[in-house]
Amino acid sequence: MKQVFKIILTLVFPLTIILFGTITKWRYVYVEDGPDDFLYGFPLTFICKGWHTSMSLQIFVSELLFDFFVYFIFTLTIVAIIEKFIKPIAVGKYFKFGLYGIATFILLLYGLVFSNPDNIFEIKKDFKYKEVRNGYKFVWQQDKR
């Protein structure tokens, strides 16, 4: 049991943050009674542009937490399969330091983005939309209409 918590804290949790912060799914949608927009998140959409002012976001908290949980379970499953069936994982001190450094940087960036006072936080999406196109991307890639 102690070994499981050690693996979760040293490997699974920082990898989850890194994956969650860098890889996502985009959807170009026609919003009912709203502008055409991109929605982001996998498997559920949890973020889109704010429609009330530029440089703002709409963040849907329940979808965000569910998505993070899915990423966590996926990462935990992959690490557990590697640990049990392929080879026991030994995380070096410098590798762990690097993982935590990248994860902390991503958390700080998300904290900076989410701290914008113009952002709207809602429990869940309250609008209907029709999906036109979708795809996967790294966060730093440009959106293509």
Side-chain angles (χ1 to χ4, degrees):
M1 191 66 152
K2 189 176 182 181
Q3 180 69 15
V4 172
F5 285 122
K6 184 178 179 185
I7 289 292
I8 287 174
L9 286 177
T10 59
L11 193 62
V12 174
F13 194 62
L15 279 176
T16 301
I17 293 170
I18 292 167
L19 289 174
F20 186 77
T22 57
I23 302 171
T24 192
K25 181 176 182 177
W26 60 267
R27 295 163 179 90
Y28 185 69
V29 297
Y30 295 142
V31 178
E32 186 177 295
D33 296 330
D36 301 345
D37 202 0
F38 283 95
L39 301 177
Y40 302 97
F42 177 79
L44 304 175
T45 56
F46 67 88
I47 196 166
C48 68
K49 291 180 183 174
W51 302 326
H52 64 290
T53 185
S54 63
M55 300 301 290
S56 69
L57 299 171
Q58 295 181 69
I59 300 149
F60 312 109
V61 177
S62 60
E63 287 91 342
L64 180 127
L65 293 174
F66 179 79
D67 285 2
F68 188 80
F69 181 71
V70 167
Y71 276 75
F72 180 79
I73 294 299
F74 174 77
T75 307
L76 181 64
T77 303
I78 297 299
V79 168
I81 288 171
I82 292 170
E83 176 82 20
K84 185 161 178 107
F85 297 113
I86 297 175
K87 182 181 177 186
I89 300 172
V91 180
K93 183 169 67 169
Y94 295 114
F95 185 71
K96 181 171 64 170
F97 180 73
L99 280 178
Y100 269 98
I102 294 168
T104 302
F105 179 72
I106 289 172
L107 283 176
L108 288 173
L109 285 177
Y110 266 96
L112 191 65
V113 169
F114 287 177
S115 68
N116 181 354
D118 292 330
N119 289 345
I120 296 174
F121 289 89
E122 296 181 6
I123 298 299
K124 59 184 296 186
K125 280 190 297 293
D126 61 350
F127 56 87
K128 295 179 183 176
Y129 60 89
K130 180 182 177 193
E131 188 173 311
V132 180
R133 286 190 315 272
N134 64 45
Y136 295 91
K137 72 172 199 148
F138 291 101
V139 173
W140 55 83
Q141 290 177 319
Q142 293 291 323
D143 297 324
K144 297 175 186 169
R145 290 189 183 256

